[in-house]
Amino acid sequence: MKEEDSVHGGHVHTHDAGDGSGMEHMEHEAGHEGHASHDMKMAGNHEHAHGSEGMEGHSGHGGMKHEHGGHSHAEHHRMMMEDFKRRFIVSSILTIPILLLSPLIQNFFGFELSFPGDHYVLFGLSAVVYFYGGWPFLKGMQDELRKRNPGMMTLIALAITVAFSYSVAVTFGIPGKTFYWELATLIDIMLIGHYIEMRSVLGASRALEELIKLMPTEAHLVTPEGIKDVPVSELKKGDVVLVKPGEKIPSDGVIVEGETSVNEAMLTGESKPVYKKPGDTVIGGSINLEGAIKVRIEKTGKDTYLMQVVELVRQAQETRSKTQDLANRAAFYLTLIAITAGSITLGTWLYLGKPFVFALERMVTVMVITCPHALGLAVPLVVSVSTSISAEKGILIRNREAFERAKDVDVVVFDKTGTLTEGKFEVTDVIPLDELGEEEILKYAAALESHSSHPIAQGVVEKARELGLKPYDVDESKVIPGKGVQGVINGREVLVVSPGFLKENGLWKEDERVNRVLEQGKTVIFLVVDGKLAGAMALADRIRPESREAVKRLHEMGIRAYMLTGDNAKVAKWVAEELGLDGFFAEVLPHQKSEKVKELQEQGYTVAMVGDGINDAPALIQADVGIAIGAGTDVAIESADIILVKNDPRDVITAIHLARATYRKMVQNLAWATGYNSFAIPLAAGVLYSYGILLSPALGALLMSMSTVIVAINAKFLKA
């Protein structure tokens, strides 16, 4: 452990900074492969084969390869999603005349629409819906059966094939009833359900794109002929670049000329700008706050710190554990029941000597009544309702499976800066060390700091403003690089400086109050007036008022709360004690953040990670549930499963409560969607035939529709 000096606008404070910037510890050499990740996180365990024309070789979310005819995974996924949307639109348009021409619908609504050859028109329209709209499911059934894992795709394909085949047979001569409208509506519902599902799983790959956007596109290359602007991609190791104040550092390197403060918060989680001088390393993507510097490039491309974070995000996505979808499992068993019951029904009635048409009608009734209209809607409807409720409460759900997992969370890990704290410095202590009082100290300090945009300077000015203090007028103000700022106020020489400056100039004196705030890891700056030490001000990252309540409510729910931060141990300890956290991890670099989450998971915990920084992205993806707080960067949001729009940690509790309520509704709907079959299937098969009770195919279809309505109504009763 070594000590580093962090600076704010020239102010140095000493803290334990871990083992340097972490540049030398990033040994991952896997590199960025140049494509969006093969995203297990997005895919979950969906083995659906979302086939489409021109994509015959691809078998769904889980089975997608890295490249599809030159397209990235995300592009291919988007193409498939659009394909489902296109098929849904076409099928829905054709369903309208199918419904109008269906005898059952006409009888139900009391109207008549017939003309010569109408049943052939009905057949033609239904055939288009069956082959065009039903193609992804027919293709999916082939893939599922090839893998010997029949599921939702097989059941849907089986149901629409039996309904279509039997209806065609009736259209062309066999006595009986057609099932064209059931066929069309089932295909419509399944297409829109899969489209909605695929839209929700596209986000994680964009996290990589957002990370890469952090890097500037151009650099000011220093050449013998002068400064030349070149693309960052052309930089080579050993090149020297000029970085002006306010610009991003183009690549990892070492400062060879100039002094400055660098904002690394978006990369390392260090909330304080870090003072940098010749010989210090700088990270590509971090922001130069003050002086112009010249940097010798040490790493480019995949070797840079940021690109290694990109690689970590990609790896975390690929190694994501899968969670089997409840509806898929239910569909698997329902498929077996449907096939078995239908076959037994057909065989039994033939064995008992009934005509083939009668036996086939019984089998079709069984297949139709087992048709997964309700099952297909059971989960998506609840998710749709819960998504609407959550959006009203400022909680955006991006990943359905992870949202479902939120019900099992027993540890919530919070990032510190910008999540539990506001990421803004506030003056927590003003310590008089001479004749000046607290207000006078603040007026002098605010006067010197009022022209600086530095976070710590702004914290001092804000404190004076809160107390209604008017800062003095300043003459001859100037920055002391790496040390502080000085000026003349009311004819007196005034300095606001770091502890290091005091020690170098023999002005340091021991004080128990100063030692106490330094022990808490707070940033301490000092006011010197006419060469005499007049006072000290301690600043700390302001803790959000909502954070205390959030931690308290988590404890009431039996959930443990931890903190993960790149800040030093003293600061972390102070925040953890203030909030009553169960534990904290300090001085953690981005690659270590995901490792810390993994450590908790290996102990058997279901972990939710709440963060807002780019350095949180790998941890957000590694966690069972990744939650981005609203002020978070684009990367954190793209890497997260749930987004808290209102920047309120208490919304984590709301999200968990909603996840639990949503899960209960899902289970209820799945129980109904599959459970009603336990009495409907025997009736459809004809077990009460000897008592004169026989369920017709049309009545079976109505019973199936009723189950769908019940599922829809039950979903609407969901409350947070």
Side-chain angles (χ1 to χ4, degrees), residues 363-637:
M363 187 186 82
V364 169
T365 306
V366 168
M367 298 300 291
V368 168
I369 214 162
T370 317
C371 212
H373 266 87
L375 185 60
L377 285 172
V379 172
L381 266 181
V382 175
V383 169
S384 175
V385 173
S386 67
T387 302
S388 299
I389 292 172
S390 65
E392 290 169 11
K393 295 182 176 294
I395 300 166
L396 305 181
I397 299 165
R398 296 185 63 253
N399 184 307
R400 188 188 78 195
E401 286 190 18
F403 177 64
E404 290 172 15
R405 282 195 294 275
K407 75 185 189 316
D408 300 319
V409 164
D410 38 34
V411 170
V412 176
V413 179
F414 292 95
D415 171 53
K416 181 183 79 70
T417 307
T419 303
L420 290 175
T421 65
E422 294 182 1
K424 296 178 183 176
F425 284 96
E426 69 170 347
V427 176
T428 59
D429 306 83
V430 180
I431 304 168
L433 297 171
D434 199 18
E435 76 274 1
L436 291 183
E438 291 186 15
E439 290 191 356
E440 284 294 296
I441 291 170
L442 275 170
K443 285 167 74 174
Y444 274 110
L448 279 181
E449 300 283 30
S450 60
H451 300 294
S452 172
S453 61
H454 196 282
I456 289 178
Q458 289 175 342
V460 172
V461 174
E462 179 63 29
K463 186 67 173 180
R465 189 181 296 122
E466 281 177 15
L467 296 175
L469 303 177
K470 188 175 185 300
Y472 293 117
D473 293 326
V474 185
D475 299 316
E476 304 171 28
S477 172
K478 68 174 183 178
V479 171
I480 310 169
K483 307 299 179 186
V485 62
Q486 70 180 58
V488 177
I489 298 175
N490 299 334
R492 307 176 77 179
E493 186 185 41
V494 181
L495 295 90
V496 176
V497 290
S498 66
F501 180 90
L502 296 185
K503 291 172 182 174
E504 287 172 14
N505 292 275
L507 294 172
W508 177 266
K509 61 181 180 183
E510 289 295 326
D511 185 279
E512 188 180 324
R513 295 165 298 170
V514 173
N515 289 336
R516 177 175 55 81
V517 291
L518 283 170
E519 279 298 313
Q520 291 174 340
K522 294 180 181 177
T523 299
V524 181
I525 56 176
F526 295 87
L527 180 72
V528 177
V529 180
D530 288 335
K532 292 178 63 179
L533 186 57
M537 286 154 287
L539 298 97
D541 194 356
R542 183 183 302 168
I543 295 174
R544 292 184 187 279
E546 308 89 358
S547 297
R548 288 181 176 84
E549 187 183 344
V551 172
K552 181 185 171 192
R553 288 172 63 187
L554 283 172
H555 286 157
E556 288 170 357
M557 295 166 68
I559 298 173
R560 298 166 71 87
Y562 282 77
M563 181 174 69
L564 195 56
T565 178
D567 255 346
N568 67 76
K570 290 177 182 176
V571 173
K573 184 173 184 289
W574 174 71
V575 174
E577 288 174 351
E578 285 286 308
L579 294 175
L581 297 173
D582 296 289
F584 64 89
F585 304 100
E587 299 171 15
V588 182
L589 293 168
H591 68 292
Q592 295 169 327
K593 284 194 172 187
S594 58
E595 288 167 11
K596 295 297 181 189
V597 171
K598 192 182 288 186
E599 281 176 23
L600 289 168
Q601 290 171 323
E602 286 169 353
Q603 293 172 35
Y605 292 117
T606 300
V607 180
M609 172 72 195
V610 186
D612 77 326
I614 285 151
N615 56 299
D616 300 322
L620 286 171
I621 292 178
Q622 177 62 45
D624 298 283
V625 185
I627 303 174
I629 200 157
T633 64
D634 290 338
V635 177
I637 289 172

Side-chain angles (χ1 to χ4, degrees), residues 70-318:
H71 294 290
S72 74
H73 172 91
E75 287 169 345
H76 178 73
H77 199 82
R78 198 172 284 111
M79 285 167 61
M80 292 173 68
M81 184 182 76
E82 289 303 317
D83 184 71
F84 270 93
K85 180 180 177 182
R86 191 164 52 248
R87 290 174 191 274
F88 167 72
I89 291 169
V90 172
S91 299
S92 297
I93 292 169
L94 294 177
T95 298
I96 296 169
I98 290 172
L99 289 169
L100 293 174
L101 290 171
S102 295
L104 182 70
I105 300 297
Q106 292 179 23
N107 292 338
F108 186 80
F109 287 101
F111 72 92
E112 186 175 340
L113 178 62
S114 62
F115 51 84
D118 56 359
H119 56 296
Y120 293 118
V121 173
L122 189 57
F123 156 72
L125 292 169
S126 302
V128 175
V129 173
Y130 172 71
F131 286 110
Y132 180 73
W135 169 248
F137 310 111
L138 298 170
K139 181 70 175 64
M141 179 174 70
Q142 291 177 28
D143 295 328
E144 286 182 350
L145 294 178
R146 191 164 55 242
K147 294 175 186 173
R148 298 179 184 175
N149 183 30
M152 177 74 85
M153 288 295 184
T154 301
L155 186 55
I156 298 166
L158 201 59
I160 63 175
T161 299
V162 170
F164 180 69
S165 302
Y166 178 72
S167 299
V168 171
V170 170
T171 300
F172 290 96
I174 293 178
K177 304 252 194 261
T178 61
F179 294 97
Y180 289 131
W181 75 270
E182 294 92 339
L183 162 81
T185 54
L186 174 61
I187 289 173
D188 293 344
I189 287 173
M190 290 304 161
L191 285 171
I192 192 62
H194 280 72
Y195 168 73
I196 292 169
E197 174 191 354
M198 294 184 79
R199 271 188 63 184
S200 73
V201 299
L202 260 179
S205 281
R206 292 201 297 268
L208 298 171
E209 298 164 21
E210 295 297 335
L211 276 169
I212 294 165
K213 280 182 192 173
L214 270 184
M215 294 301 293
T217 55
E218 281 197 336
H220 310 305
L221 181 64
V222 178
T223 69
E225 295 79 35
I227 304 297
K228 178 183 175 185
D229 287 350
V230 299
V232 170
S233 58
E234 292 182 9
L235 292 178
K236 302 183 295 295
K237 184 175 179 178
D239 283 347
V240 175
V241 295
L242 173 71
V243 187
K244 299 173 185 176
E247 292 184 338
K248 288 180 179 177
I249 292 164
S251 198
D252 296 0
V254 175
I255 294 178
V256 293
E257 185 181 312
E259 297 178 35
T260 190
S261 293
V262 175
N263 182 354
E264 297 178 348
M266 294 298 97
L267 296 161
T268 66
E270 171 57 67
S271 55
K272 304 176 186 69
V274 184
Y275 171 58
K276 299 285 186 179
K277 60 186 184 301
D280 288 345
T281 56
V282 287
I283 303 172
S286 58
I287 301 168
N288 178 20
L289 294 176
E290 295 169 348
I293 54 173
K294 288 183 179 177
V295 176
R296 184 178 67 246
I297 301 301
E298 295 291 325
K299 294 181 181 178
T300 58
K302 69 181 179 64
D303 297 323
T304 61
Y305 184 90
L306 181 61
M307 291 310 294
Q308 289 179 9
V309 173
V310 170
E311 176 64 13
L312 286 168
V313 172
R314 192 182 69 79
Q315 289 174 2
Q317 289 173 346
E318 289 189 358

